[in-house]
Amino acid sequence: MTRKNGINVITMGCSKNLVDSERLLKMLRDSGFDAVHDANPADCRGYAAVINTCGFIGDAKEESINMILEALQARDAGLLSKVYVMGCLSERYRKDLEKELPEVDGWYGKFDWNAIVRDLAKAFPATAPWDRVLTTPRHHAYLKIAEGCNRFCAFCAIPLITGRYKSRPEEEILQEVRELVSRGVKEFNVIAQDLSAYGSDLAGGGLRLAGLIDSMAQIPGVEWIRLHYAYPAQFPYDILPVMARHNNVCKYLDIALQHIADPVLANMRRHITAAETEELLNRIRREVPGIHIRTTLMVGFPGEGEAEFGQLMDFVRRQRFERMGAFAYCEEDDTYAAKNFEDSIPQEVKQQRLDRLMELQEEISMEIQQSKVGSIQRVIIDGENSDYYIGRTQFDSPEVDPEVLIEKTSKMCKGEFYNVEITDAMPFELIARPCL
């Protein structure tokens, strides 16, 4: 397949980047381009490539650079026509990258990427600001409700990339939801760098996440709403009764806590204490019974000695998070931590701590998974392999959480909901059979 007006949009990094790619795809198609997403290079010879980069941490930056270099090699070999770069990495390092890689055909950032359409089509299409081409299975979508972050945690470069917090207007979001429902979307994974702050920058101020989710839950056809990336400080407690009241608001919350030791939290500039964190978690579990909490923790941040790491291990044992990820601290250019703290903990110590923490979490995950054996769970079907249908419960976000492998004893359709009985468990998968 060789098309002069073909464009392959390649997405690196998170689901927030994916939404930007989906919007770009829609604008390109509305402008007459044959725009595809993450296509096999063999299927799009002669296409241009647009690489939507990630610039969050070192590994992600390296992966994005390698993708750019691979695309340039493919262009020089005649397999691609042009190479354009957009997204977080070029937003943060554009001037440096332009000097290092002058052979790239065009550089765009996190917020001016729609100029790609202007430069290629010489005009903007009349595309609604929320309209996009879904790259996910048609029954679920990511819903980005804000961009940016005002928290300025010591370790984090996101505010340097995305700028200040900017909420989308509520009615625009609800209009997008209605449109996606009309196209068959049933599951909405609500995302932002900081869900907790939604609405704080809109006219009149105040935290408005609860009102937004309450309104979303009342839209016919919305089957599941799942919340990603809440911030623990200034948490919007009024979201909890909304979660408890609506059956279609999943009993699931993704809230990155990073650490529990007060000296480390202070160095991280997290604006919350260990005692406040414990009370927050206790209140969430009290007001939303059965909730599954996903969190992210960090090891090896400056100020974390063996005592502080021990507190983190005890915290995980005590809280028994249903879902947990962790990573080792890596110094990021121009952050508060890079300017004010020495990254003095050896990498091998960081890795040892990370391994111990994840080993503990695997034990906890196994126990939680086993406790579900014999229960009846409602699942949505994402697909199948030769042996099983593959589904997820309300406690499982796409890509990052466990799946449910369902015996093929009766016909199941992708994108539909079914009740299944859990028959066996593994740390990161459940086995089930259809309910009669």
Side-chain angles (χ1 to χ4, degrees):
M1 182 191 303
T2 301
R3 291 283 298 276
K4 184 176 180 180
N5 68 340
I7 299 177
N8 184 14
V9 179
I10 301 167
T11 303
M12 318 293 290
C14 68
S15 54
K16 294 181 287 295
N17 265 15
L18 182 65
V19 172
D20 292 342
S21 291
E22 291 177 338
R23 291 181 60 206
L24 176 61
L25 284 165
K26 175 61 175 171
M27 295 179 72
L28 288 169
R29 291 186 183 180
D30 286 352
S31 299
F33 292 93
D34 179 19
V36 295
H37 185 254
D38 284 349
N40 187 326
D43 295 332
C44 48
R45 291 174 63 94
Y47 278 41
V50 177
I51 303 170
N52 188 356
T53 58
C54 179
F56 178 42
I57 58 176
D59 288 347
K61 289 186 283 189
E62 182 178 356
E63 185 179 5
S64 292
I65 290 292
N66 288 339
M67 178 59 69
I68 295 170
L69 294 174
E70 288 177 17
L72 289 171
Q73 290 177 351
R75 187 201 60 189
D76 293 345
L79 303 177
L80 294 174
S81 61
K82 301 283 185 179
V83 175
Y84 303 99
V85 178
M86 61 177 277
C88 294
L89 186 72
S90 52
E91 179 70 27
R92 191 174 180 202
Y93 298 111
R94 186 183 308 195
K95 290 183 179 180
D96 293 336
L97 289 169
E98 287 175 341
K99 293 177 182 178
E100 293 294 327
L101 296 170
E103 58 268 45
V104 168
D105 294 288
W107 293 95
Y108 304 85
K110 174 71 176 170
F111 301 104
D112 66 347
W113 53 261
N114 55 8
I116 296 173
V117 182
R118 179 201 63 206
D119 293 346
L120 296 181
K122 308 307 179 185
F124 279 123
T127 304
W130 60 84
D131 205 359
R132 51 194 167 114
V133 173
L134 289 181
T135 60
T136 54
R138 68 186 298 267
H139 56 274
H140 74 79
Y142 295 101
L143 184 71
K144 183 159 62 170
I145 67 170
E147 192 69 84
C149 185
N150 293 347
R151 304 291 185 172
F152 293 98
C153 297
F155 54 85
C156 186
I158 286 177
L160 303 176
I161 299 170
T162 62
R164 304 291 289 184
Y165 196 83
K166 186 177 182 180
S167 304
R168 291 178 60 198
E170 180 175 327
E171 187 48 47
E172 180 182 294
I173 296 170
L174 296 177
Q175 192 167 354
E176 180 178 2
V177 172
R178 296 185 194 102
E179 168 66 21
L180 289 171
V181 167
S182 74
R183 293 162 57 183
V185 176
K186 303 174 182 180
E187 173 185 356
F188 292 84
N189 293 289
V190 182
I191 56 174
Q193 276 88 5
D194 176 5
L195 286 185
S196 298
Y198 176 74
S200 59
D201 60 312
L202 296 176
L207 303 181
R208 304 187 190 180
L209 181 65
L212 172 65
I213 300 304
D214 186 57
S215 296
M216 278 184 60
Q218 298 177 59
I219 295 175
V222 175
E223 295 279 352
W224 276 353
I225 300 169
R226 194 177 289 107
L227 303 180
H228 288 270
Y229 321 125
Y231 194 89
Q234 294 88 47
F235 182 81
Y237 281 105
D238 55 351
I239 189 62
L240 300 180
V242 173
M243 298 180 75
R245 182 168 66 251
H246 290 290
N247 290 331
N248 59 349
V249 180
C250 297
K251 307 305 181 280
Y252 178 106
L253 181 65
D254 191 330
I255 180 169
L257 299 172
Q258 306 300 351
H259 217 280
I260 195 60
D262 279 328
V264 181
L265 289 171
N267 283 357
M268 288 181 168
R269 305 174 86 195
R270 292 289 286 175
H271 315 294
I272 195 169
T273 66
E276 290 166 343
T277 300
E278 299 268 11
E279 173 52 31
L280 168 65
L281 294 171
N282 292 339
R283 183 168 172 181
I284 291 171
R285 293 194 184 280
R286 184 169 63 247
E287 294 194 27
V288 189
I291 192 170
H292 280 41
I293 296 177
R294 164 171 278 284
T295 196
T296 304
L297 301 174
M298 182 190 299
V299 300
F301 190 78
E304 183 192 69
E306 282 299 326
E308 288 76 20
F309 176 69
Q311 290 179 51
L312 185 63
M313 292 283 285
D314 290 342
F315 174 62
V316 171
R317 290 190 189 94
R318 188 165 59 251
Q319 285 294 335
R320 295 177 59 80
F321 294 106
E322 289 81 7
R323 312 279 185 254
M324 192 199 85
F327 63 102
Y329 171 67
C330 179
E331 186 175 275
E332 286 295 311
D333 299 337
D334 299 321
T335 59
Y336 181 90
K339 294 177 180 178
N340 291 275
F341 300 121
E342 181 183 357
D343 185 10
S344 58
I345 300 175
Q347 184 59 39
E348 58 268 25
V349 174
K350 293 178 184 178
Q351 188 61 50
Q352 289 169 3
R353 291 177 182 176
L354 181 61
D355 292 343
R356 289 170 59 191
L357 187 64
M358 293 311 299
E359 287 171 7
L360 171 60
Q361 179 60 27
E362 184 169 345
E363 295 174 8
I364 294 169
S365 294
M366 187 66 215
E367 292 170 1
I368 291 172
Q369 294 282 83
Q370 287 178 328
S371 72
K372 296 177 181 178
V373 174
S375 68
I376 306 298
Q377 300 287 338
R378 185 177 185 235
V379 299
I380 194 167
I381 303 300
D382 284 336
E384 62 181 297
N385 58 30
S386 58
D387 299 316
Y388 297 101
Y389 291 110
I390 301 170
R392 291 176 291 107
T393 73
Q394 66 168 311
F395 310 119
D396 306 313
S397 193
E399 307 295 334
V400 297
D401 287 328
E403 294 175 327
V404 183
L405 306 181
I406 306 156
E407 299 170 6
K408 288 187 168 181
T409 57
S410 61
K411 176 66 176 177
M412 290 184 165
C413 298
K414 184 177 180 178
E416 298 297 326
F417 288 92
Y418 300 91
N419 288 330
V420 300
E421 180 184 358
I422 307 302
T423 59
D424 201 1
M426 292 170 279
F428 305 110
E429 287 179 334
L430 293 172
I431 308 297
R433 61 185 171 215
C435 290
L436 299 178

